[in-house]
């Protein structure tokens, strides 16, 4: 009897993976359209379309025959280091995804699509109860997903691992515990000083002029418009369909210039990473981002370490004054710098300063842990949210829209995502510190509006590697150290010592 067992070659593996990527990115186009241009009445059919493609992609990827062939391919001694890494990571991904039944994937996808529309409706009504039933269904599905994937110590670990490989509750508990005391102490010192004025950014700024400024800003900071575009959405986000097609969105507040400016720069950081991934590895693990923590490091680095630096403000203030001459009359770059770095507890995570930001993330992290444990009913989320904001930031949340309905993530089923925002900020400070060592005169370059050398450094040190290294391996290669909050604390100490005229001995160590 002839041997019917097939042998997968590396070119065949590449072709298979690219067909899968085509399916997934076609689905991503539908999701992007859903959040930007789709008419409201299209929501019901769109959820079915997205679910069908999700189920097809899952079935295509988890074919048991392919799992066998991948293991056979791993035994091929002719594979080079990168090829072997691609196959190894794919085999690992297949093993994980095969644990999820196809009907579960379809149910999850349909529920996510419907949840997004319910979240939008709830925000319009400023009423969490509109979102609660579908959110409850999503949470039940995420618990089931954790069980399918398997977990140790805590069910939340299975979800965290999907966004940040190897991330656990115990690791995050330790990280947040180490941050809490020094951040609280620094916040207390700042609260005792005279508050800086933010009046320059809290004026009337015409929406169309803000849009024009945002487009100019993107181009000057390195966004390739031949390989991307910007649109508007309720919650800013980035998606991509290849390194040559990266979409970002922003939002515009006519009474706050900083909202649009830093939403745009944040998403620019994500987009620069996606545009920098090696297109030759399209569809393969080495053509994908390392982790969500590293992805957030890129957005937070450009948003904060660059965009909220005095160097950036010195470079861009003339352009800001060009677009908004009346609003900028009598002001200068330092005025703008102080305004956009004002520290004050606030309700909205995406608008928070660099210090209180971590408390926004801690609240969401602790809430998600509680939900995954099953000890908090869904309807009690608003009350939990109010109590947590009072405890950590000392503020009273006025309503659901500025409270537990502000983030889009839960409607996407993205439980386990929020901690990557803090990890990203910490990685960002560490990477930027390493960049300042590696690039002499970096701040002078930024002051002159030259961002190319920093971008090239990030491309070579981070973007080009795709998923070859884990987050911690990448961090150690770049900085000589695994994730260490001291880089972040040193960065914010120096920044806020200047902004709030803090004496050196007043800065907590």
């Amino acid at each position: 009897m002839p041997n019917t067992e097939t042998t997968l070659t590396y070119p065949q593996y590449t072709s298979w993976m690219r067909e899968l990527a085509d399916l997934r990115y076609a689905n991503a186009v539908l999701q992007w359209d859903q959040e930007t241009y789709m008419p409201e009445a299209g929501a019901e059919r769109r959820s079915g379309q997205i679910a069908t493609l999700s189920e097809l992609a899952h079935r295509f990827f988890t074919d048991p025959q392919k799992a066998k062939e991948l293991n056979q391919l791993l035994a091929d001694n002719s594979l080079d280091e990168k090829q072997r890494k691609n196959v190894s990571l794919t085999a690992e991904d297949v093993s994980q995804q095969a644990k999820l039944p196809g009907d579960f994937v379809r149910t999850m996808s349909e529920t996510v699509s419907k949840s997004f529309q319910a979240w939008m409706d709830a925000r319009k009504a400023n009423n969490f109860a509109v979102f609660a039933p579908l959110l409850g269904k999503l949470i039940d599905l995420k618990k089931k997903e954790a069980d399918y994937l398997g977990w140790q110590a805590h069910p939340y670990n299975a979800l965290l691992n999907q966004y940040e490989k190897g991330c656990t509750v115990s690791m995050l508990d330790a990280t947040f515990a180490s941050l809490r005391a020094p951040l609280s102490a620094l916040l207390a010192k700042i609260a005792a000083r005279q508050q800086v004025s933010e009046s320059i950014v809290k004026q009337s700024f015409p929406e169309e002029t803000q849009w024009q400024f945002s487009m100019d800003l993107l181009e000057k900071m390195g966004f390739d418009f031949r390989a991307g575009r910007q649109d508007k959405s309720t919650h800013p986000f980035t998606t991509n369909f290849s390194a040559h097609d990266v979409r970002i969105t922003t939002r515009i507040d006519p009474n706050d210039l900083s909202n649009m400016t830093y939403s745009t720069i944040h998403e620019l950081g994500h987009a620069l990473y996606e545009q920098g991934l090696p297109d030759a590895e399209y569809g393969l693990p080495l053509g994908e981002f390392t982790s969500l923590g590293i992805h957030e490091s890129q957005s937070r680095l450009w948003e904060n370490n660059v965009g909220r630096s005095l160097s950036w403000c010195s470079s861009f203030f003339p352009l800001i004054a060009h677009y908004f001459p009346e609003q900028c009359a009598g002001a200068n770059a330092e005025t703008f710098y102080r305004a956009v770095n004002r520290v004050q507890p606030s309700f909205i995570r995406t608008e928070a300063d660099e210090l209180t930001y971590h408390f926004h993330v801690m609240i969401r992290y602790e809430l998600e842990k509680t939900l995954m444990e099953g000890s908090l009913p869904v309807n009690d989320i608003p009350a939990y949210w109010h109590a947590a904001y009072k405890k950590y930031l000392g503020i009273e949340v006025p309503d659901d829209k500025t409270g537990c309905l502000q983030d889009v993530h839960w409607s996407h089923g993205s439980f386990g995502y929020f901690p990557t925002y803090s990890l990203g900020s910490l990685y960002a400070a560490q990477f930027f510190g390493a960049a300042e060592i590696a690039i002499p005169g970096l701040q002078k370059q930024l002051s002159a509006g030259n961002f190319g050398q920093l971008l090239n450094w990030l491309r070579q040190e981070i973007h080009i590697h795709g998923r070859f290294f884990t987050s911690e391996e990448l961090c150690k290669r770049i900085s000589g150290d695994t994730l260490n909050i001291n880089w972040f604390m040193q960065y914010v100490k120096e920044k806020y010592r200047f902004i709030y005229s803090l004496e050196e001995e007043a800065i907590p160590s």
Side-chain angles (χ1 to χ4, degrees):
M1 181 179 291
N3 184 2
T4 58
E5 187 173 290
T6 60
T7 300
L8 185 70
T9 65
Y10 191 80
Q12 288 171 333
Y13 155 76
T14 300
S15 177
W16 171 61
M17 288 293 286
R18 287 178 173 163
E19 287 179 24
L20 175 67
D22 291 345
L23 262 179
R24 287 174 169 170
Y25 287 130
N27 205 4
V29 173
L30 291 180
Q31 292 170 323
W32 170 81
D33 176 72
Q34 183 182 45
E35 298 198 33
T36 50
Y37 296 112
M38 187 191 76
E40 186 176 337
E44 184 71 25
R45 285 298 182 194
R46 180 58 52 86
S47 66
Q49 293 159 357
I50 290 172
T52 296
L53 287 177
S54 297
E55 187 177 12
L56 281 173
H58 177 76
R59 190 187 310 158
F60 189 73
F61 189 53
T62 57
D63 178 357
Q65 179 62 31
K66 277 294 186 292
K68 294 178 183 178
E69 293 174 353
L70 287 168
N71 288 327
Q72 292 169 355
L73 183 55
L74 276 173
D76 185 347
N77 293 327
S78 69
L79 297 182
D80 63 29
E81 186 180 27
K82 288 187 175 182
Q83 291 172 336
R84 187 169 301 281
K85 192 69 172 181
N86 271 326
V87 178
S88 174
L89 288 169
T90 299
E92 185 180 324
D93 293 343
V94 168
S95 175
Q96 282 293 98
Q97 288 300 305
K99 296 176 182 179
L100 303 177
D103 59 347
F104 172 83
V105 171
R106 182 179 186 89
T107 300
M108 176 67 81
S109 180
E110 287 178 334
T111 306
V112 163
S113 292
K114 293 174 182 177
S115 294
F116 174 73
Q117 191 58 50
W119 173 74
M120 294 279 285
D121 293 341
R123 279 180 57 84
K124 289 176 185 175
N126 196 10
N127 185 358
F128 177 76
V130 175
F131 183 41
L134 274 166
L135 178 59
K137 185 176 181 181
L138 261 182
I139 290 168
D140 288 340
L141 287 171
K142 297 308 285 190
K143 290 177 184 175
K144 189 176 291 187
E145 182 177 341
D147 289 337
Y148 279 134
L149 294 173
W151 52 270
Q152 293 182 342
H154 199 290
Y156 195 35
N157 287 342
L159 306 182
L160 292 170
N161 189 65
Q162 294 179 308
Y163 298 103
E164 191 68 25
K165 189 175 179 180
C167 186
T168 64
V169 163
S170 60
M171 172 219 162
L172 288 171
D173 284 347
T175 300
F176 285 130
S178 67
L179 266 177
R180 198 171 289 119
L183 278 180
S184 295
L186 182 52
L187 283 168
K189 296 296 181 183
I190 290 172
R193 305 298 294 174
Q194 182 177 348
Q195 184 57 281
V196 298
S197 172
E198 60 177 351
S199 60
I200 188 172
V201 295
K202 300 290 187 178
Q203 303 181 62
S204 176
F205 296 91
E207 291 191 37
E208 182 55 35
T209 310
Q210 284 199 58
W211 176 257
Q212 293 169 4
F213 169 57
S214 75
M215 298 293 277
D216 205 351
L217 179 158
L218 288 170
E219 185 174 13
K220 291 182 185 304
M221 291 187 71
F223 185 72
D224 184 356
F225 277 100
R226 299 171 305 157
R229 60 176 289 130
Q230 179 180 244
D231 293 278
K232 300 174 187 176
S233 66
T234 302
H235 188 107
F237 69 95
T238 298
T239 191
N240 75 298
F241 315 125
S242 73
H244 298 307
D245 189 353
V246 181
R247 314 287 177 93
I248 66 175
T249 67
T250 192
R251 63 180 170 206
I252 297 174
D253 182 339
N255 300 307
D256 184 356
L257 180 62
S258 63
N259 194 317
M260 178 282 300
T261 301
Y262 291 98
S263 292
T264 299
I265 300 177
H266 182 94
E267 300 309 327
L268 166 69
H270 284 306
L272 292 177
Y273 189 4
E274 293 290 351
Q275 290 183 338
L277 291 171
D279 189 62
E281 301 284 348
Y282 171 78
L284 307 178
L286 297 194
E288 299 170 348
F289 59 88
T290 304
S291 71
L292 259 297
I294 299 302
H295 223 313
E296 288 302 327
S297 80
Q298 300 307 281
S299 60
R300 297 293 282 174
L301 184 151
W302 285 101
E303 176 190 356
N304 294 327
N305 303 89
V306 176
R308 284 191 166 92
S309 69
L310 183 56
S311 298
W312 185 92
C313 294
S314 299
S315 170
F316 269 84
F317 189 75
L319 184 66
I320 296 169
H322 167 76
Y323 279 103
F324 308 104
E326 293 181 13
Q327 295 88 335
C328 293
N332 57 30
E334 188 174 319
T335 308
F336 189 85
Y337 171 65
R338 291 179 184 276
V340 299
N341 284 291
R342 176 185 171 109
V343 173
Q344 186 173 31
S346 59
F347 302 113
I348 307 299
R349 174 187 60 83
T350 56
E351 299 170 17
D353 59 81
E354 293 180 75
L355 302 183
T356 60
Y357 184 85
H358 290 284
F359 290 98
H360 289 266
V361 177
M362 287 182 211
I363 289 167
R364 289 155 174 78
Y365 164 64
E366 292 175 0
L367 176 53
E368 288 190 354
K369 270 201 309 182
T370 307
L371 289 169
M372 288 303 110
E373 291 166 357
S375 57
L376 181 74
V378 172
N379 290 333
D380 289 350
I381 287 176
Y384 182 105
W385 194 279
H386 284 239
Y389 268 79
K390 182 67 174 176
K391 172 186 174 183
Y392 281 123
L393 293 173
I395 55 178
E396 298 280 356
V397 177
D399 54 27
D400 291 344
K401 189 173 182 178
T402 51
C404 56
L405 286 176
Q406 67 181 266
D407 297 295
V408 71
H409 302 62
W410 290 343
S411 75
H412 288 166
S414 299
F415 288 84
Y417 191 129
F418 282 120
T420 66
Y421 286 118
S422 276
L423 294 178
S425 294
L426 300 177
Y427 279 127
Q430 202 154 333
F431 294 158
F432 192 77
E436 287 189 294
I437 295 170
I439 306 172
L442 176 57
Q443 292 294 347
K444 288 184 178 179
Q445 292 182 27
L446 300 181
S447 294
N450 298 327
F451 304 100
Q453 196 167 350
L454 175 61
L455 177 56
N456 288 337
W457 184 85
L458 292 169
R459 290 262 156 91
Q460 294 304 311
E461 296 293 332
I462 298 174
H463 305 177
I464 199 67
H465 297 300
R467 286 174 61 192
F468 192 91
F469 302 107
T470 65
S471 300
E472 287 290 76
E473 288 170 346
L474 197 62
C475 187
K476 192 159 188 177
R477 278 174 58 90
I478 292 170
S479 68
D481 196 3
T482 53
L483 185 64
N484 186 334
I485 71 162
N486 291 336
W487 292 76
F488 174 77
M489 289 309 304
Q490 185 60 37
Y491 156 67
V492 292
K493 287 175 190 177
E494 292 300 324
K495 170 179 276 191
Y496 292 106
R497 175 181 290 125
F498 173 79
I499 293 170
Y500 282 93
S501 303
L502 300 173
E503 296 296 332
E504 186 164 352
E505 62 267 23
I507 302 292
S509 59

